[in-house]
């Protein structure tokens, strides 16, 4: 197996004609890291992955693998393995021949092919399916064949382009666990592209959010979830309530925020520099909102407001409420327990929020 290598993009810019697709993308993936690239359709994430594989070419910037600039290196010479969304298996070849294909192209010896293909199939648990064709396999088994075919060539990098999107939910959960386990076992530096936030958060060591070709934020899943840098990240990584308002002043450990419908709110000063006075948004997660019956005793550590339940959904582990507070409609997720009655639409409730959980986003 090749030694672990880093991957670095330095101010990558790519346009199709006059349309910019990647704009000043700079990020570094550490050796052996499982890194997820997350973004909506059209954000440029698959374009960036294909650029790293060598199928696209940037107009400016540098792409380094293991510290070496490979911008001008053709795809076949980069020793990068890529698993596509549709797996791209040869339908007329059996599993063994599909996995051996890259080694045959490289003209490796028959003994080396037999040894490496056998090891790859054992790694993904498909030894007994070696003589079957792709059409005789389940979606999860085809996914394993695609992985085996990629890792058998011992690539420096493993690139995964939405590899689980064609599977049903239960199989996706199983396959992402297997994928993570396999990556840890191999120690391969891996870049995983997905539009599914849950996949990114549960598999990756770190992740980056891309929107309209611009890198929005890079960090561990918990950092992006708890400390989003802007409205887009707050709304894309998880579900968020977003209340537009204004920072009145900030200093002495506090932020004074004014929001129509909520009034003036005093918040503790958050990480980093104090926000400048001016338009901003208050972001907070539905599970951070507490509901209580009107007139119930209040936890003094929270900000409380009167509200009315507009709708209620039972989602198993929790119930999601849409609550009208002044001119605002807020989402509130409450844990469900057996025998716990839901608030019906029209119910008058008190809405509580902990100041430390409210995040001010100036952009």
């Amino acid at each position: 197996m090749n030694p672990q290598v880093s991957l670095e993009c330095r101010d990558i810019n790519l346009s199709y004609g006059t349309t910019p697709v990647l704009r000043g993308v700079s990020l570094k993936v550490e050796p052996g890291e499982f890194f997820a690239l997350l973004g909506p359709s059209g954000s440029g994430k698959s374009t960036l992955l294909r650029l790293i594989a060598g199928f696209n070419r940037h107009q400016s910037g540098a792409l380094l693998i293991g510290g070496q600039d490979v911008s001008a290196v053709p795809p076949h010479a980069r020793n990068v393995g890529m698993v596509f969304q549709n797996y791209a298996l040869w339908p007329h070849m059996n599993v063994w021949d599909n996995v051996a294909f890259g080694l045959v192209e490289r003209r490796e010896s028959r003994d080396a092919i037999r040894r490496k293909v056998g090891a790859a199939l054992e790694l993904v648990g498909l030894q007994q399916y070696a003589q079957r064709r792709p059409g005789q396999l389940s979606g999860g088994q085809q996914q394993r064949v695609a992985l085996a075919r990629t890792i058998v060539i011992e690539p420096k990098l493993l690139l995964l382009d939405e590899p689980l999107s064609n599977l049903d939910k239960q199989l996706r959960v199983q396959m992402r666990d297997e994928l993570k386990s396999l990556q840890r076992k191999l120690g391969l530096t891996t870049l995983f592209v997905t539009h599914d936030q849950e996949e990114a958060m549960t598999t990756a060591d770190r992740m980056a959010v891309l929107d309209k070709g611009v890198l929005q934020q890079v960090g561990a899943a918990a950092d992006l979830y708890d400390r989003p840098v802007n409205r887009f990240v707050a709304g894309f990584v998880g579900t968020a309530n977003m209340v537009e308002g204004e920072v009145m002043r900030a200093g002495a450990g506090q932020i004074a925020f004014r929001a129509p419908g909520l009034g003036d709110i005093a918040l503790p000063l958050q990480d980093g520099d104090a926000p400048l006075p001016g338009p901003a948004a208050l972001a907070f997660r539905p599970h951070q909102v507490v509901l209580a019956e009107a007139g119930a005793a209040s936890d003094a550590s929270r900000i409380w407001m009167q509200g009315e339940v507009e709708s209620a959904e039972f989602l198993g582990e929790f119930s999601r409420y849409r609550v009208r507070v002044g001119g605002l409609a807020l989402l509130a997720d409450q844990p469900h327990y057996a025998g716990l009655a839901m608030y019906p639409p029209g119910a008058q409730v008190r809405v509580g929020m902990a100041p430390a959980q409210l995040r001010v986003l100036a952009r």
Side-chain angles (χ1 to χ4, degrees):
M1 184 61 64
N2 289 310
Q4 296 178 342
V5 297
S6 63
L7 166 69
E8 187 173 2
C9 299
R10 294 181 181 172
D11 196 24
I12 295 286
N13 291 277
L14 182 148
S15 297
Y16 293 145
T18 58
T19 305
V21 181
L22 298 174
R23 313 182 194 202
V25 173
S26 293
L27 65 85
K28 184 172 183 180
V29 180
E30 300 297 335
E33 188 173 26
F34 197 129
F35 193 96
L37 197 58
L38 182 66
S41 296
S43 61
K45 58 188 184 300
S46 289
T47 299
L48 180 57
L49 199 74
R50 294 177 67 83
L51 184 149
I52 294 166
F55 303 138
N56 294 328
R57 180 74 185 272
H58 47 286
Q59 281 87 31
S60 64
L63 175 67
L64 288 80
I65 297 177
Q68 301 296 313
D69 192 342
V70 297
S71 300
V73 176
H76 69 272
R78 293 188 183 189
N79 198 18
V80 170
M82 186 164 178
V83 176
F84 297 91
Q85 183 176 350
N86 63 358
Y87 314 144
L89 302 176
W90 298 107
H92 63 287
M93 292 183 179
N94 63 25
V95 167
W96 180 279
D97 290 337
N98 263 283
V99 175
F101 184 79
L103 301 175
V104 173
E105 288 292 299
R106 295 182 177 199
R107 299 186 177 181
E108 297 217 12
S109 70
R110 188 171 298 177
D111 286 343
I113 292 172
R114 185 182 302 110
R115 175 174 49 83
K116 290 181 179 181
V117 172
L121 289 177
E122 182 178 0
L123 196 60
V124 299
L126 289 179
Q127 310 96 305
Q128 68 271 38
Y129 297 95
Q131 299 308 313
R132 294 193 187 181
R133 292 188 178 182
Q136 298 172 302
L137 303 177
S138 68
Q141 290 166 340
Q142 290 181 39
Q143 172 66 273
R144 292 187 184 95
V145 175
L147 281 168
R149 184 186 58 185
T150 302
I151 62 178
V152 78
I153 64 170
E154 301 179 347
K156 292 179 180 178
L157 290 174
L158 179 60
L159 306 180
L160 306 170
D161 190 7
E162 306 224 27
L164 310 181
S165 61
N166 291 333
L167 307 177
D168 62 48
K169 184 175 181 179
Q170 186 173 354
L171 190 53
R172 278 206 309 274
V173 172
Q174 177 188 336
M175 283 303 302
R176 76 188 185 204
D177 290 343
E178 291 185 13
L179 191 59
K180 188 172 182 177
S181 175
L182 180 62
Q183 190 270 342
R184 292 286 186 268
K185 189 179 296 184
L186 295 172
L188 266 177
T189 307
T190 300
L191 188 61
F192 177 37
V193 159
T194 179
H195 66 276
D196 186 319
Q197 54 180 286
E198 184 177 310
E199 281 182 5
M201 290 193 289
T202 54
T203 56
D205 300 311
R206 288 189 305 141
M207 53 195 275
V209 176
L210 198 66
D211 182 44
K212 297 175 182 175
V214 178
L215 208 59
Q216 302 293 316
Q217 189 172 354
V218 179
D223 290 333
L224 272 64
Y225 189 83
D226 292 337
R227 291 178 287 277
V229 297
N230 58 34
R231 292 167 173 83
F232 179 81
V233 175
F236 193 77
V237 181
T239 302
N241 289 297
M242 207 82 63
V243 177
E244 296 294 335
E246 184 177 3
V247 173
M248 306 305 293
R249 59 189 176 279
Q254 275 200 333
I255 302 170
F257 188 86
R258 178 172 294 169
L262 298 184
D264 291 351
I265 300 174
L267 306 171
L269 196 60
Q270 298 163 341
D271 305 332
D273 299 330
L276 296 173
L282 203 59
F284 50 99
R285 304 295 180 181
H287 73 270
Q288 296 165 341
V289 180
V290 172
L291 299 184
E293 292 183 6
S298 299
D299 175 357
S301 67
R302 295 181 181 272
I303 300 166
W304 291 92
M305 290 159 287
Q306 292 299 122
E308 179 179 324
V309 174
E310 289 190 332
S311 65
E313 293 179 291
F314 176 63
L315 299 174
E317 296 92 340
F318 63 92
S319 299
R320 172 162 290 176
Y321 296 92
R322 182 178 296 274
V323 183
R324 177 64 56 179
V325 178
L328 301 172
L330 303 180
L331 295 178
D333 291 347
Q334 307 299 291
H336 173 71
Y337 303 98
L340 182 65
M342 293 178 64
Y343 293 107
Q348 299 299 308
V349 294
R350 302 193 73 203
V351 180
M353 296 171 287
Q357 299 297 324
L358 308 180
R359 186 159 187 85
V360 175
L361 302 176
R363 61 186 179 93

